[in-house]
Amino acid sequence: MGINQSGLRLLVLGGSFDPVHAGHLALAHSLCLQLRPEQLRIIPAGQPWQKNALTATSEQRVSMLKLAFETWTLCPVIIDEQEIQRAKQQQVNYTIDTLRALRQESGSQASISFAMGADQLQNLHTWRQWRELFDLAHLCAAARPGFSLEIAAPEVAQEWRRRASSALTIQNTPCGGSFLEPELAVDVSATQLRAGLHQHNPTMRSLVPHKVLDYIQQHSIY
């Protein structure tokens, strides 16, 4: 994996963020505490190739992210709109493209950690050039309650175990490791969340930061 001589540690959180919710915040918080990044880079998707059309516009999703992370103190936060810009130019974007761009920007020695939820880990084998993601970054996932690597595709589980790394190793090497946060107690389904917001379900509303919920209501998004 090499040694991270540049000292730069970057944690990348990608997703639809339609809307940003407590699960995203819990994942970022947990990984920031363990991996100690110097920057949290949040990259909202343009149009995810594995999902249907998004409900909120790209501008609304960016605005909600800014509200959700405006009081973040663990490290500097950047909302990176590169995938949105590619979508506006009608370019198909995959995670491998985004990580290549980040690696080119950050240099060969920076430690780049790409965070994903358990549901994304389960589908990792369907991602374009998924094995090559490890050539560009560490892959970090948080397990929902009851999650086991056995649920993932066998080739993913095998690769994940082979590359399992400590938090310290992730911090000090550029790429190539896997890191599983075993106990993230927040389990949020974005589909159920949108439906609950539409129905004014108080349980679902509690899973969205207050300022984001105010924004959703003001703009009648869901």
Side-chain angles (χ1 to χ4, degrees):
M1 284 187 273
I3 300 298
N4 175 14
Q5 297 175 333
S6 71
L8 176 64
R9 296 188 300 276
L10 181 65
L11 176 62
V12 182
L13 182 62
S16 302
F17 304 112
D18 187 23
V20 57
H21 54 65
H24 298 130
L25 291 163
L27 176 58
H29 186 268
S30 175
L31 290 177
C32 277
L33 289 179
Q34 295 183 76
L35 302 181
R36 303 184 179 279
E38 294 172 315
Q39 182 190 111
L40 173 61
R41 184 77 65 96
I42 303 175
I43 307 182
Q47 175 53 54
W49 66 278
Q50 289 187 323
K51 294 189 177 182
N52 296 324
L54 302 176
T55 303
T57 66
S58 56
E59 290 78 10
Q60 289 171 336
R61 291 184 293 123
V62 169
S63 294
M64 288 188 283
L65 280 169
K66 289 178 178 177
L67 290 170
F69 284 91
E70 69 178 2
T71 59
W72 193 260
T73 58
L74 294 178
C75 63
V77 177
I78 292 179
I79 312 296
D80 185 334
E81 298 183 42
Q82 62 172 284
E83 292 192 3
I84 289 175
Q85 295 305 319
R86 289 193 200 107
K88 288 180 177 178
Q89 296 165 11
Q90 298 185 325
Q91 297 177 7
V92 178
N93 186 88
Y94 300 98
T95 299
I96 190 80
D97 302 320
T98 299
L99 289 181
R100 282 176 180 144
L102 286 175
R103 177 55 69 189
Q104 184 172 13
E105 173 194 332
S106 304
S108 61
Q109 295 304 309
S111 172
I112 299 178
S113 300
F114 180 80
M116 63 179 71
D119 54 341
Q120 294 172 303
L121 177 55
Q122 285 177 236
N123 294 321
L124 185 61
H125 63 291
T126 68
W127 292 23
R128 176 175 290 241
Q129 298 173 286
W130 71 270
R131 293 180 191 274
E132 293 179 33
L133 298 173
F134 288 105
D135 296 332
L136 299 163
H138 302 291
L139 300 191
C140 306
R144 290 174 172 174
F147 175 82
S148 166
L149 263 180
E150 305 306 326
I151 301 173
E155 60 267 39
V156 171
Q158 180 181 14
E159 194 74 10
W160 198 270
R161 290 193 181 95
R162 184 174 75 83
R163 294 178 176 275
S165 304
S166 67
L168 188 61
T169 298
I170 296 290
Q171 291 174 32
N172 291 302
T173 54
C175 58
S178 68
F179 183 82
L180 186 66
E181 161 57 75
E183 294 295 336
L184 194 70
V186 181
D187 186 6
V188 183
S189 162
T191 302
Q192 293 177 350
L193 177 57
R194 288 190 293 271
L197 291 172
H198 182 70
Q199 297 163 1
H200 302 287
N201 183 320
T203 301
M204 293 292 104
R205 289 155 64 95
S206 68
L207 294 174
V208 178
H210 292 306
K211 288 190 176 183
V212 174
L213 183 60
D214 288 344
Y215 182 90
I216 289 170
Q217 293 171 332
Q218 288 168 9
H219 294 80
S220 302
I221 299 175
Y222 305 107

